[in-house]
Amino acid sequence: MHLVVDIGNTDIVCGFYTSEGWQVHLRTPTHQPWTAIRLEHWIQKELAEKGFEAVTVESVLISSVVPPVLIQIQKGLEHWVGFPVKIMGPDLYKSLPVEVVSPDEIGADLVANSVYAHHHYDAEVLIVDFGTALTFTLVDQTGKMQGVSIAPGLKTAVKSLFSQTAQLPEVPLEMPVSALGFDTVSAIQSGILWGYVGMVKEMIARVKAERKVEVKVIATGGLSSILTPLEQYFDEVNKLITLEGLRIIAQL
């Protein structure tokens, strides 16, 4: 069994795989009072509940955009598996099939997304990642990352509006049927969700216009399926793109 871990701003996702494919995925909120022992107990409990009580892990690769959490997760995993784990970072990027832009700054998850895109498509690919942040990453046909655009994610926008206003509630992320709402909840939903539909469409159009070549567009992230009016603009919607990219990197 092999393990890849994606530590995001909202969730930690663990993917266990063998030569036969993915075996099990685990997910938990990122921001907890983590200790190495807490991590070890959590992962053992989750695996046991899913019928994987006796697991031998041969390799571990971690991607993280939350440095303070990474330290405890790394310690816990190393104690559990009994050997040093690998961390996504600039030293590792040198051996990848993609040319990483600003390797000391770019999020490891965006690198993993780019590796997946370059591995699966013989074209320029724009990866739209609907996470805590909404990111657009372009990797060209040669594997060179051409640039990134970052905006607040859907949940981030809703929470910001809720926390910065006195009378507006936090609302569920459900696509409204109308561009205009008829009460407070539907008004917020229409403004944010239809607004994000427009932003994503505009970003896709601008990137394609600037590149002047065929650009494949793929979507990932936990919220990638909410904006249903965008489905026709994506060549692929896959919530596991980041984990798949990490798996490809680990196998390299």
Side-chain angles (χ1 to χ4, degrees):
M1 194 88 78
H2 302 272
L3 169 63
V4 291
V5 181
D6 178 26
I7 304 174
N9 286 296
T10 301
D11 290 328
I12 298 173
V13 184
C14 302
F16 292 82
Y17 66 94
T18 66
S19 58
E20 298 178 352
W22 294 107
Q23 301 301 307
V24 62
H25 295 96
L26 309 179
R27 180 183 294 268
T28 189
T30 298
H31 296 287
Q32 302 182 41
W34 287 112
T35 63
I37 296 299
R38 180 187 176 100
L39 181 281
E40 189 173 2
H41 286 171
W42 169 77
I43 205 166
Q44 289 175 332
K45 176 176 175 291
E46 290 292 312
L47 285 174
E49 289 179 354
K50 290 176 169 52
F52 293 87
E53 295 185 7
V55 172
T56 300
V57 176
E58 298 179 19
S59 69
V60 181
L61 175 63
I62 303 177
S63 163
S64 174
V65 295
V66 192
V69 175
L70 169 62
I71 296 171
Q72 296 303 325
I73 301 302
Q74 179 181 357
K75 287 181 180 178
L77 286 174
E78 289 182 339
H79 186 267
W80 180 51
V81 299
F83 55 80
V85 304
K86 293 183 179 180
I87 309 294
M88 286 278 286
D91 290 339
L92 183 62
Y93 298 161
K94 298 173 185 177
S95 62
L96 299 183
V98 298
E99 183 180 342
V100 179
V101 61
S102 301
D104 292 323
E105 300 178 16
I106 195 165
D109 53 342
L110 303 187
V111 176
N113 290 348
S114 298
V115 169
Y116 173 89
H118 182 58
H119 181 81
H120 284 278
Y121 293 90
D122 184 25
E124 295 208 359
V125 185
L126 179 66
I127 309 109
V128 186
D129 193 335
F130 293 86
T132 307
L134 171 62
T135 63
F136 303 82
T137 307
L138 183 73
V139 56
D140 69 18
Q141 194 168 8
T142 69
K144 182 177 181 180
M145 296 177 69
Q146 292 291 335
V148 178
S149 181
I150 303 175
L154 282 166
K155 283 187 177 180
T156 304
V158 169
K159 287 182 178 179
S160 176
L161 189 62
F162 168 70
S163 64
Q164 297 299 319
T165 56
Q167 293 184 301
L168 295 182
E170 190 168 2
V171 303
L173 290 173
E174 299 173 356
M175 196 71 209
V177 296
S178 171
L180 296 175
F182 304 99
D183 55 29
T184 302
V185 170
S186 61
I188 294 173
Q189 289 175 328
S190 63
I192 290 180
L193 292 168
W194 280 113
Y196 269 74
V197 167
M199 175 166 57
V200 173
K201 288 168 62 176
E202 178 67 15
M203 285 298 299
I204 292 173
R206 283 185 174 272
V207 169
K208 287 186 173 182
E210 290 177 6
R211 299 304 296 173
K212 297 181 174 63
V213 296
E214 179 190 5
V215 178
K216 297 289 186 180
V217 183
I218 62 178
T220 191
L223 303 175
S224 56
S225 60
I226 290 177
L227 302 180
T228 51
L230 290 171
E231 290 176 353
Q232 61 182 308
Y233 293 90
F234 299 135
D235 295 283
E236 177 186 0
V237 177
N238 183 348
K239 293 182 179 180
L240 295 179
I241 281 178
T242 304
L243 284 187
E244 288 281 3
L246 291 174
R247 179 185 60 78
I248 294 168
I249 292 167
Q251 290 176 331
L252 290 174

